[in-house]
């Protein structure tokens, strides 16, 4: 990007977010710290960490939902469930590799995500409330373990094709 003009010609944050980002990035690269929209830049940087946390929580919830279905509807196991379990584990691990400071975060939100996953499992499976445990039956190490699949043993031979 060409050199940024004077501060009064910068795009306001609320007017064009993409342009504002480009301009703020150019200001940082040029070392023009006094021209930065410091408050909004700081807020955007902080939101990046919150975004990673939201993504980890969301992926953990999807993973727990599929583990519940896997265990409590073993006769209905589908290839898609297996793929979702595997993908969510890989994606969570990728996020944790990129941000090691969030390594303990999945365990911190497990109870909340389990409650949501349990409600979804009730709706999706048609099973009764009493058919599912009230508290998460899986530890975070099991949940993220590539080889862990709760319930009866399985093989690819007994998966339903979607």
């Amino acid at each position: 990007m060409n050199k940024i003009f004077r501060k009064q010609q910068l795009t306001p944050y609320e007017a064009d977010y993409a342009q504002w980002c480009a301009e703020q990035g150019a200001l940082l690269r040029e070392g023009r710290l006094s021209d930065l929209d410091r408050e909004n830049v700081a807020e955007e940087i902080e939101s990046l960490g919150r975004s990673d946390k939201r993504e980890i929580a969301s992926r953990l919830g999807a993973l727990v939902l599929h583990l519940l279905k896997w265990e409590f509807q073993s006769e209905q196991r589908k290839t898609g469930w297996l793929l979702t379990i595997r993908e969510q584990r890989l994606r969570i691990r990728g996020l944790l590799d990129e941000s090691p400071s969030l390594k303990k975060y999945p365990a911190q939100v497990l109870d909340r995500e389990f409650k949501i996953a349990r409600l979804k499992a009730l709706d999706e499976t048609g099973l009764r409330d009493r058919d599912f445990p009230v508290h998460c039956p899986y530890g975070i190490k099991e949940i993220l373990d590539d080889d862990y699949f709760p319930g009866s043993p399985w093989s690819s031979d007994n998966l339903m094709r979607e």
Side-chain angles (χ1 to χ4, degrees), residues 80-149:
W81 294 358
L82 175 65
L83 297 175
T84 297
I85 290 168
R86 288 180 173 166
E87 178 183 359
Q88 298 312 315
R89 286 174 170 160
L90 286 169
R91 301 256 185 216
I92 291 169
R93 196 164 23 261
L95 287 163
L96 297 176
D97 287 346
E98 290 175 8
S99 298
S101 65
L102 296 178
K103 186 174 177 92
K104 294 180 181 181
Y105 188 70
Q108 293 170 356
V109 296
L110 178 57
D111 288 341
R112 181 188 71 206
E113 293 307 316
F114 172 76
K115 289 175 185 170
I116 296 167
R118 185 179 185 277
L119 290 172
K120 288 181 175 181
L122 285 167
D123 291 343
E124 289 185 22
T125 65
L127 295 174
R128 297 168 302 210
D129 188 68
R130 67 176 183 232
D131 293 329
F132 289 104
V134 175
H135 302 287
C136 188
Y138 323 118
I140 199 67
K141 285 185 179 181
E142 292 172 319
I143 292 169
L144 298 177
D145 181 348
D146 288 337
D147 296 324
Y148 178 73
F149 290 87

Side-chain angles (χ1 to χ4, degrees), residues 17-28:
Y17 179 72
Q19 181 65 31
W20 175 86
C21 287
E23 290 172 359
Q24 297 302 305
L27 289 171
L28 279 169

Side-chain angles (χ1 to χ4, degrees), residues 1-40:
M1 173 180 237
N2 293 336
K3 297 277 185 198
I4 298 294
F5 307 107
R6 291 183 201 93
K7 187 174 184 173
Q8 63 268 22
Q9 293 177 327
L10 294 173
T11 303
Y13 177 82
E14 303 80 19
D16 184 335
Y17 179 72
Q19 181 65 31
W20 175 86
C21 287
E23 290 172 359
Q24 297 302 305
L27 289 171
L28 279 169
R29 283 186 196 85
E30 293 172 14
R32 293 179 50 193
L33 303 183
S34 62
D35 291 337
L36 282 174
D37 180 356
R38 288 190 309 270
E39 192 59 38
N40 284 320

